[in-house]
Amino acid sequence: MPGVMDKIADALHIHKHREENEQAVATAEESKAPVFDSDKVTVLFVLGGPGAGKGTQCANLVHDFGFCHLSAGDLLRAEQNRPGSAHGEMIRTYIREGQVVPMEVTIKLLENAMRAALQDPSRTGAAGWGAGRGRFLVDGFPRKMDQALKFDEDVCEAKMVLFFTTTEEEMLKRLLKRGETSGREDDNEESIRKRFRVYHEQTMPVIEHYNKRSKVAEIDASLTIEEVHIKAKDVVAKIFAGEVTHNVTA
């Protein structure tokens, strides 16, 4: 038999109101819009194995098209070194082990950086900027499927993925060379090989996900920096011109 409190609740119709409120909350969550409007804010994810040259090509594309370049790795490294950070030691441990930092931390850092760029008055009037509009290259993210889905749903739906490809041998050579001067904790052979394993296990499914949605532009990163730049610049120009509506290979 119903308890006394249940009988009182029924008499006051509390159960009914509670169910209505729960349904309203569920409906609101289902209809929740991303923070940024993808019709105004262009997000291109930049993916590829460790050492594929993503950062170098992003710098070139910033010069060509006025993007704001957001490196998920750089944002995480800055946060781990920020005095008083609640996540610093946790981030440091994940990076050292070649693992993916929990998505809530990375996504919030990206969202905050995007908001700051959109509010930056120095960008107003530049191509693609102003009145809530902006262009972002999000480098090294998403590295897992849950990150991809969460960012698209909550922050901004990505327009395209620039996928830079080359061999593991080439990437290892590049990273070991970079490690001679970078000072990065993960630029050593043990961490690099861990990163390769994580990349294949967790990031390649992300590529497949966007490939099925016709949102992948694959670019051969085995060539010289300038040759890769020419290919990437051509692809991005076609994206902005509305000429890329399916997967492409450059």
Side-chain angles (χ1 to χ4, degrees):
M1 295 179 63
V4 173
M5 294 306 297
D6 283 338
K7 290 180 179 179
I8 295 173
D10 285 338
L12 297 174
H13 304 290
I14 290 175
H15 285 322
K16 178 182 179 182
H17 292 312
R18 183 184 300 144
E19 290 171 1
E20 289 174 348
N21 288 337
E22 289 174 350
Q23 181 61 42
V25 170
T27 301
E29 289 178 348
E30 288 174 3
S31 62
K32 178 184 175 184
V35 175
F36 306 112
D37 183 353
S38 60
D39 288 334
K40 293 183 176 181
V41 176
T42 299
V43 172
L44 301 185
F45 289 145
V46 182
L47 294 176
K54 300 183 295 296
T56 298
Q57 294 306 325
C58 282
N60 289 332
L61 294 173
V62 166
H63 177 75
D64 296 330
F65 299 100
F67 283 105
C68 173
H69 172 210
L70 298 178
S71 164
D74 286 351
L75 289 171
L76 288 167
R77 281 184 285 275
E79 181 65 18
Q80 82 174 12
N81 295 320
R82 183 176 64 82
S85 170
H87 306 294
E89 189 55 40
M90 176 268 291
I91 293 171
R92 182 174 292 106
T93 299
Y94 273 85
I95 290 177
R96 183 171 59 245
E97 294 301 317
Q99 297 299 313
V100 178
V101 174
M103 69 174 179
E104 293 80 7
V105 174
T106 308
I107 288 176
K108 180 52 69 172
L109 290 174
L110 287 167
E111 179 187 328
N112 290 345
M114 289 175 68
R115 182 175 289 105
L118 289 166
Q119 295 174 350
D120 182 354
S122 69
R123 293 184 180 274
T124 301
W129 292 87
R133 297 184 178 276
R135 298 174 170 182
F136 295 91
L137 289 174
V138 180
D139 170 11
F141 177 95
R143 293 179 61 191
K144 293 176 63 181
M145 274 301 303
D146 57 353
Q147 292 181 343
L149 298 174
K150 187 73 170 174
F151 188 94
D152 275 349
E153 292 172 1
D154 290 3
V155 182
C156 187
E157 184 177 352
K159 189 173 189 66
M160 203 80 183
V161 176
L162 304 182
F163 178 36
F164 291 92
T165 62
T166 187
T167 64
E168 274 196 16
E169 291 78 9
E170 179 63 23
M171 290 188 288
L172 178 61
K173 182 177 71 174
R174 292 177 183 179
L175 290 172
L176 291 176
K177 181 66 176 176
R178 184 178 74 182
E180 295 174 4
T181 56
S182 71
R184 283 179 48 167
E185 295 181 14
D186 57 346
D187 275 350
N188 61 79
E189 186 163 354
E190 181 181 359
S191 289
I192 291 167
R193 294 201 179 279
K194 286 180 181 178
R195 289 158 66 192
F196 285 160
R197 287 197 297 273
V198 171
Y199 169 71
H200 284 295
E201 293 170 2
Q202 300 183 353
T203 305
M204 285 308 299
V206 175
I207 301 297
E208 289 303 314
H209 167 70
Y210 286 108
N211 191 64
K212 290 176 182 176
R213 300 182 66 190
S214 297
K215 285 190 171 186
V216 175
E218 184 173 340
I219 301 166
D220 183 1
S222 302
L223 308 173
T224 67
I225 291 174
E226 183 54 33
E227 288 171 327
V228 177
H229 174 210
I230 291 170
K231 289 177 176 289
K233 182 178 180 180
D234 181 61
V235 166
V236 173
K238 289 178 178 177
I239 290 173
F240 281 128
E243 298 173 15
V244 176
T245 57
H246 52 78
N247 298 327
V248 296
T249 302

CSV table of all heavy atoms in Angstrom, one decimal, residues 141-168:
chain,number,residue,atom,x,y,z
A,141,PHE,N,42.2,17.6,-31.8
A,141,PHE,CA,40.9,17.3,-31.1
A,141,PHE,C,39.8,17.2,-32.2
A,141,PHE,O,39.8,17.9,-33.2
A,141,PHE,CB,40.6,18.5,-30.2
A,141,PHE,CG,39.3,18.3,-29.4
A,141,PHE,CD1,39.2,17.8,-28.2
A,141,PHE,CD2,38.1,18.8,-30.0
A,141,PHE,CE1,38.0,17.6,-27.5
A,141,PHE,CE2,36.9,18.6,-29.4
A,141,PHE,CZ,36.8,18.0,-28.1
A,142,PRO,N,38.9,16.3,-32.0
A,142,PRO,CA,38.7,15.3,-30.9
A,142,PRO,C,39.5,14.1,-31.0
A,142,PRO,O,39.7,13.6,-32.2
A,142,PRO,CB,37.2,15.0,-31.0
A,142,PRO,CG,36.9,15.2,-32.4
A,142,PRO,CD,37.7,16.3,-32.9
A,143,ARG,N,40.0,13.6,-29.9
A,143,ARG,CA,40.8,12.3,-30.0
A,143,ARG,C,40.0,11.1,-29.6
A,143,ARG,O,40.6,10.0,-29.7
A,143,ARG,CB,42.0,12.5,-29.0
A,143,ARG,CG,43.0,13.6,-29.5
A,143,ARG,CD,44.1,13.7,-28.5
A,143,ARG,NE,44.9,12.5,-28.4
A,143,ARG,CZ,45.8,12.3,-27.4
A,143,ARG,NH1,46.1,13.3,-26.5
A,143,ARG,NH2,46.5,11.2,-27.4
A,144,LYS,N,38.8,11.3,-29.2
A,144,LYS,CA,37.9,10.1,-28.9
A,144,LYS,C,36.5,10.4,-29.4
A,144,LYS,O,36.1,11.6,-29.5
A,144,LYS,CB,37.9,9.8,-27.4
A,144,LYS,CG,39.2,9.4,-26.8
A,144,LYS,CD,39.1,9.2,-25.3
A,144,LYS,CE,38.1,8.1,-24.9
A,144,LYS,NZ,38.1,8.0,-23.4
A,145,MET,N,35.7,9.4,-29.5
A,145,MET,CA,34.4,9.5,-30.0
A,145,MET,C,33.5,10.4,-29.1
A,145,MET,O,32.7,11.2,-29.5
A,145,MET,CB,33.7,8.2,-30.3
A,145,MET,CG,34.0,7.6,-31.6
A,145,MET,SD,33.5,8.6,-33.0
A,145,MET,CE,31.7,8.8,-32.6
A,146,ASP,N,33.6,10.1,-27.8
A,146,ASP,CA,32.8,10.9,-26.9
A,146,ASP,C,33.1,12.4,-26.9
A,146,ASP,O,32.2,13.2,-26.8
A,146,ASP,CB,32.9,10.4,-25.4
A,146,ASP,CG,34.3,10.4,-24.9
A,146,ASP,OD1,35.3,10.7,-25.6
A,146,ASP,OD2,34.5,10.1,-23.7
A,147,GLN,N,34.4,12.7,-27.2
A,147,GLN,CA,34.7,14.1,-27.3
A,147,GLN,C,34.1,14.7,-28.6
A,147,GLN,O,33.6,15.8,-28.5
A,147,GLN,CB,36.3,14.3,-27.5
A,147,GLN,CG,37.1,14.0,-26.2
A,147,GLN,CD,38.5,14.1,-26.4
A,147,GLN,OE1,39.0,14.2,-27.6
A,147,GLN,NE2,39.3,14.2,-25.4
A,148,ALA,N,34.1,14.0,-29.7
A,148,ALA,CA,33.5,14.5,-30.9
A,148,ALA,C,32.0,14.7,-30.8
A,148,ALA,O,31.5,15.8,-31.1
A,148,ALA,CB,33.8,13.4,-32.0
A,149,LEU,N,31.3,13.8,-30.2
A,149,LEU,CA,29.9,13.9,-30.1
A,149,LEU,C,29.5,15.0,-29.1
A,149,LEU,O,28.6,15.8,-29.4
A,149,LEU,CB,29.3,12.6,-29.6
A,149,LEU,CG,29.5,11.4,-30.5
A,149,LEU,CD1,29.0,10.1,-29.8
A,149,LEU,CD2,28.7,11.6,-31.8
A,150,LYS,N,30.3,15.1,-28.0
A,150,LYS,CA,30.0,16.1,-27.0
A,150,LYS,C,30.2,17.5,-27.5
A,150,LYS,O,29.5,18.5,-27.3
A,150,LYS,CB,30.9,15.9,-25.7
A,150,LYS,CG,30.5,16.8,-24.6
A,150,LYS,CD,29.2,16.4,-23.9
A,150,LYS,CE,29.0,17.1,-22.6
A,150,LYS,NZ,27.7,16.8,-22.0
A,151,PHE,N,31.3,17.7,-28.3
A,151,PHE,CA,31.7,19.0,-28.8
A,151,PHE,C,30.6,19.5,-29.8
A,151,PHE,O,30.1,20.6,-29.8
A,151,PHE,CB,33.1,19.0,-29.4
A,151,PHE,CG,33.5,20.4,-29.9
A,151,PHE,CD1,34.3,21.1,-29.0
A,151,PHE,CD2,33.2,20.9,-31.1
A,151,PHE,CE1,34.8,22.4,-29.4
A,151,PHE,CE2,33.7,22.2,-31.5
A,151,PHE,CZ,34.4,22.9,-30.6
A,152,ASP,N,30.3,18.6,-30.7
A,152,ASP,CA,29.3,18.9,-31.8
A,152,ASP,C,27.9,19.2,-31.2
A,152,ASP,O,27.3,20.2,-31.6
A,152,ASP,CB,29.1,17.7,-32.7
A,152,ASP,CG,30.1,17.6,-33.8
A,152,ASP,OD1,30.8,18.7,-34.0
A,152,ASP,OD2,30.2,16.6,-34.5
A,153,GLU,N,27.6,18.5,-30.1
A,153,GLU,CA,26.2,18.7,-29.5
A,153,GLU,C,26.2,20.0,-28.6
A,153,GLU,O,25.2,20.7,-28.6
A,153,GLU,CB,25.9,17.5,-28.7
A,153,GLU,CG,25.6,16.3,-29.5
A,153,GLU,CD,25.4,15.0,-28.6
A,153,GLU,OE1,25.4,15.2,-27.4
A,153,GLU,OE2,25.2,13.9,-29.2
A,154,ASP,N,27.3,20.2,-27.8
A,154,ASP,CA,27.2,21.2,-26.8
A,154,ASP,C,27.9,22.5,-27.2
A,154,ASP,O,27.6,23.6,-26.7
A,154,ASP,CB,27.9,20.7,-25.5
A,154,ASP,CG,27.0,19.6,-24.8
A,154,ASP,OD1,25.9,19.3,-25.4
A,154,ASP,OD2,27.4,19.2,-23.7
A,155,VAL,N,29.0,22.5,-28.0
A,155,VAL,CA,29.8,23.7,-28.3
A,155,VAL,C,29.5,24.2,-29.7
A,155,VAL,O,29.0,25.3,-29.8
A,155,VAL,CB,31.3,23.4,-28.1
A,155,VAL,CG1,32.1,24.6,-28.3
A,155,VAL,CG2,31.6,22.9,-26.7
A,156,CYS,N,29.8,23.5,-30.7
A,156,CYS,CA,29.6,23.9,-32.1
A,156,CYS,C,29.8,22.7,-33.0
A,156,CYS,O,30.8,22.0,-32.9
A,156,CYS,CB,30.5,25.0,-32.4
A,156,CYS,SG,30.2,25.8,-34.0
A,157,GLU,N,28.9,22.5,-33.9
A,157,GLU,CA,29.1,21.4,-34.9
A,157,GLU,C,30.2,21.7,-35.9
A,157,GLU,O,30.2,22.8,-36.5
A,157,GLU,CB,27.8,21.2,-35.7
A,157,GLU,CG,27.9,20.0,-36.6
A,157,GLU,CD,26.6,19.7,-37.3
A,157,GLU,OE1,25.5,20.3,-37.0
A,157,GLU,OE2,26.6,18.8,-38.2
A,158,ALA,N,31.1,20.8,-36.0
A,158,ALA,CA,32.3,21.0,-36.9
A,158,ALA,C,31.8,20.9,-38.3
A,158,ALA,O,31.0,20.1,-38.7
A,158,ALA,CB,33.3,20.0,-36.6
A,159,LYS,N,32.4,21.8,-39.2
A,159,LYS,CA,32.1,21.8,-40.6
A,159,LYS,C,32.8,20.7,-41.4
A,159,LYS,O,32.3,20.1,-42.3
A,159,LYS,CB,32.4,23.2,-41.2
A,159,LYS,CG,31.9,23.4,-42.6
A,159,LYS,CD,32.1,24.8,-43.1
A,159,LYS,CE,31.4,25.0,-44.4
A,159,LYS,NZ,30.0,25.0,-44.3
A,160,MET,N,34.1,20.5,-41.0
A,160,MET,CA,35.0,19.5,-41.7
A,160,MET,C,36.1,19.1,-40.9
A,160,MET,O,36.5,19.8,-39.9
A,160,MET,CB,35.5,20.2,-43.0
A,160,MET,CG,35.9,19.3,-44.1
A,160,MET,SD,34.4,18.7,-45.0
A,160,MET,CE,35.1,17.5,-46.2
A,161,VAL,N,36.7,18.0,-41.2
A,161,VAL,CA,37.9,17.5,-40.6
A,161,VAL,C,39.1,17.5,-41.6
A,161,VAL,O,38.9,16.9,-42.7
A,161,VAL,CB,37.8,16.0,-40.1
A,161,VAL,CG1,39.1,15.5,-39.5
A,161,VAL,CG2,36.7,16.0,-39.0
A,162,LEU,N,40.1,18.2,-41.3
A,162,LEU,CA,41.4,18.2,-42.1
A,162,LEU,C,42.2,17.0,-41.5
A,162,LEU,O,42.7,17.1,-40.3
A,162,LEU,CB,42.1,19.5,-42.0
A,162,LEU,CG,41.3,20.7,-42.5
A,162,LEU,CD1,42.3,22.0,-42.4
A,162,LEU,CD2,40.8,20.6,-43.9
A,163,PHE,N,42.4,16.0,-42.3
A,163,PHE,CA,43.1,14.8,-41.7
A,163,PHE,C,44.4,14.6,-42.4
A,163,PHE,O,44.5,14.3,-43.6
A,163,PHE,CB,42.2,13.6,-42.0
A,163,PHE,CG,42.7,12.2,-41.6
A,163,PHE,CD1,43.5,12.1,-40.5
A,163,PHE,CD2,42.5,11.1,-42.4
A,163,PHE,CE1,44.0,10.9,-40.1
A,163,PHE,CE2,42.9,9.9,-42.0
A,163,PHE,CZ,43.7,9.7,-40.9
A,164,PHE,N,45.5,14.9,-41.7
A,164,PHE,CA,46.9,14.8,-42.2
A,164,PHE,C,47.4,13.4,-42.0
A,164,PHE,O,47.5,13.0,-40.8
A,164,PHE,CB,47.8,15.9,-41.6
A,164,PHE,CG,47.4,17.3,-42.0
A,164,PHE,CD1,46.5,18.0,-41.2
A,164,PHE,CD2,47.9,17.9,-43.1
A,164,PHE,CE1,46.1,19.3,-41.6
A,164,PHE,CE2,47.6,19.2,-43.5
A,164,PHE,CZ,46.7,19.9,-42.8
A,165,THR,N,47.9,12.8,-43.1
A,165,THR,CA,48.3,11.4,-42.9
A,165,THR,C,49.7,11.2,-43.4
A,165,THR,O,50.2,11.8,-44.3
A,165,THR,CB,47.4,10.5,-43.8
A,165,THR,OG1,47.6,10.8,-45.2
A,165,THR,CG2,46.0,10.6,-43.4
A,166,THR,N,50.5,10.3,-42.7
A,166,THR,CA,51.8,9.9,-43.1
A,166,THR,C,52.1,8.6,-42.3
A,166,THR,O,51.3,8.1,-41.6
A,166,THR,CB,52.9,11.0,-42.8
A,166,THR,OG1,54.1,10.6,-43.4
A,166,THR,CG2,53.0,11.3,-41.3
A,167,THR,N,53.3,8.1,-42.5
A,167,THR,CA,53.7,6.8,-41.9
A,167,THR,C,54.1,7.0,-40.4
A,167,THR,O,54.6,8.1,-40.0
A,167,THR,CB,54.8,6.1,-42.6
A,167,THR,OG1,56.0,6.9,-42.6
A,167,THR,CG2,54.4,5.9,-44.1
A,168,GLU,N,54.0,6.0,-39.6
A,168,GLU,CA,54.5,6.0,-38.2
A,168,GLU,C,56.0,6.3,-38.2
A,168,GLU,O,56.5,7.0,-37.3
A,168,GLU,CB,54.2,4.7,-37.5
A,168,GLU,CG,52.9,4.7,-36.9
A,168,GLU,CD,52.7,3.6,-35.8
A,168,GLU,OE1,53.7,3.0,-35.4
A,168,GLU,OE2,51.5,3.3,-35.5
